[in-house]
Amino acid sequence: RIVDDALQICGGAGALAEATVSREELLGLFAAFRQRRATEAAGATATPSEFLDALRSGQDARIREMLPWQLERGMTATFGEFERLLKSEAPADRAAYAGVATALGMLGTQRSLGLLTSLLSDERVAVRLSAVKARGRVRGQATGALIAALDDTHFTVYLEATHLLGQLGDPKAVPRLADKLANPGIGGLALQQKAAQALGSIGALGPNGASVTALMEATHAPHDVLVRASARALGQLKYGADASALTEAISALKRLASDHPAISVRLEAIRSLVAISSMQSAELGAFVRKALRSERDWQVRETLVRALGRLWGTSAATALTEIAEDVSEDLGVRVAAIQTVIELGVASELAWSV
């Protein structure tokens, strides 16, 4: 019933066909409308001034509440109102620009794209930021606009664009994100960290392994937060048949896991090593065993113990048993060793006193 009402309000099935939002998002948009309609007098509606006030507020909740009432006038009338506002130079109308961008994103139609494009060049940061967020909500054709927004002059806009590109997961964004990771300009460390996270979320290697190259370089950065983000992203990439890229990533992660002074970085590197190792490896198992002999932090040792079981399989049982029986070892590390042996399915063959 809600979908039927939505179709009538928006102008029929053609409007739904044009929309790029999901069925669930459409239901959510009209659920509040139906609830309010049921509790108010029959025929009650919001006035145009109330809708404008909601747009000027820029508040998502108010706009979401008022938008269905505006849509009762039809999709064409609603877009006509948006176009009127965006052509107006009156201060009261210009104050609604950010709210218009938010509403366009909620509608999520291809028809929204042209209007949002004009808002992306507005001189006001709040308007550009709202437009970037809205473009991220409109499926299809969003990548190009968000890539362009990476060159915005204000940090809130280009950081949001970077985050949304990661969420969209479009491999076409990889070259520009890799470039921003290597050459952030005014974005500095904050943009580099977001770019590394976005590359990991997308997971694609990109042309000529652009993701791996940029992330590998970032693992040498002097900032722990960037190195950690890059280590995690290396563990999220999909290497497929690219054995060379996988080997390079493993080499970088081994270096971080054994040599980096920051505990958080070593932990992330170990987790990523486990994540990208699709099969058990005696070479990686031997590396973890060596790392255990030199590592002193209990958190890292516990993570290494669990990694040993994942990377070396049942071959690690003896080493894990020795750790479990070592009364001088940290209790959490010993428990991790016992749990790992049990998970390997060889606990019945071993006995220890703990």
Side-chain angles (χ1 to χ4, degrees), residues 9-11 71 73-83 111:
I9 292 171
C10 294
L71 288 173
R73 300 179 175 88
M75 185 70 85
T76 299
T78 297
F79 273 94
E81 177 63 10
F82 290 153
E83 291 169 353
R111 194 171 173 182

Side-chain angles (χ1 to χ4, degrees), residues 17-319:
E18 181 192 15
T20 53
V21 292
S22 67
R23 171 188 172 89
E24 289 72 22
E25 288 172 314
L26 185 64
L27 285 169
L29 181 62
F30 285 91
F33 167 69
R34 284 295 298 268
Q35 183 178 6
R36 180 170 172 179
R37 173 67 86 191
T39 58
E40 293 196 357
T45 185
T47 65
S49 63
E50 288 178 301
F51 180 58
L52 283 175
D53 287 342
L55 294 177
R56 293 185 186 113
S57 75
Q59 298 174 7
D60 287 12
R62 288 190 62 187
I63 294 170
R64 183 176 294 277
E65 178 185 12
M66 300 304 298
L67 184 56
W69 294 89
Q70 171 64 26
L71 288 173
E72 280 201 302
R73 300 179 175 88
M75 185 70 85
T76 299
T78 297
F79 273 94
E81 177 63 10
F82 290 153
E83 291 169 353
R84 182 194 71 77
L85 288 169
L86 297 181
K87 290 177 181 178
S88 173
E89 292 297 324
D93 290 338
R94 285 175 55 79
Y97 279 24
V100 169
T102 299
L104 289 169
M106 289 177 179
L107 290 176
T109 68
Q110 295 295 316
R111 194 171 173 182
S112 302
L113 295 177
L115 298 179
L116 287 171
T117 298
S118 66
L119 292 172
L120 286 169
S121 59
D122 194 274
E123 71 276 11
R124 291 163 295 176
V125 173
V127 175
R128 299 200 304 275
L129 179 60
S130 293
V132 164
K133 291 180 177 179
R135 284 304 298 259
R137 290 177 59 91
V138 181
R139 298 191 181 95
Q141 304 182 40
T143 302
L146 293 176
I147 288 175
L150 292 177
D151 295 320
D152 196 278
T153 57
H154 199 273
F155 73 95
T156 58
V157 178
Y158 56 67
L159 290 181
E160 183 67 22
T162 306
H163 170 69
L164 290 172
L165 284 169
Q167 286 192 325
L168 287 175
D170 190 339
K172 292 195 293 291
V174 166
R176 288 289 284 123
L177 288 170
D179 179 62
K180 286 298 181 182
L181 176 56
N183 306 288
I186 61 173
L189 177 61
L191 180 55
Q192 286 181 298
Q193 185 180 0
K194 286 286 187 182
Q197 292 168 346
L199 288 171
S201 296
I202 294 172
L205 299 184
N208 302 314
S211 286
V212 178
T213 301
L215 290 168
M216 290 270 292
E217 181 64 28
T219 62
H220 295 282
H223 308 288
D224 293 350
V225 291
L226 177 56
V227 178
R228 181 182 179 185
S230 299
R232 182 176 185 182
L234 284 170
Q236 293 175 297
L237 296 182
K238 301 174 180 64
Y239 296 91
D242 196 332
S244 175
L246 179 59
T247 299
E248 290 179 2
I250 289 176
S251 177
L253 291 170
K254 287 168 64 176
R255 169 175 54 82
L256 295 175
S258 58
D259 298 338
H260 201 278
I263 292 174
S264 62
V265 172
R266 299 203 299 276
L267 286 169
E268 203 66 68
I270 296 165
R271 295 186 189 112
S272 288
L273 272 175
V274 172
I276 64 177
S277 300
S278 57
M279 60 186 68
Q280 293 174 359
S281 164
E283 188 272 331
L284 283 177
F287 164 77
V288 174
R289 184 79 185 274
K290 180 180 178 182
L292 271 168
R293 286 196 290 268
S294 58
E295 181 61 56
R296 292 293 175 261
D297 181 81
W298 70 268
Q299 299 174 83
V300 182
R301 288 185 62 79
E302 182 176 329
T303 304
L304 283 167
V305 162
R306 298 185 187 281
L308 187 61
R310 291 283 302 276
L311 297 174
W312 210 359
T314 54
S315 300
T318 300

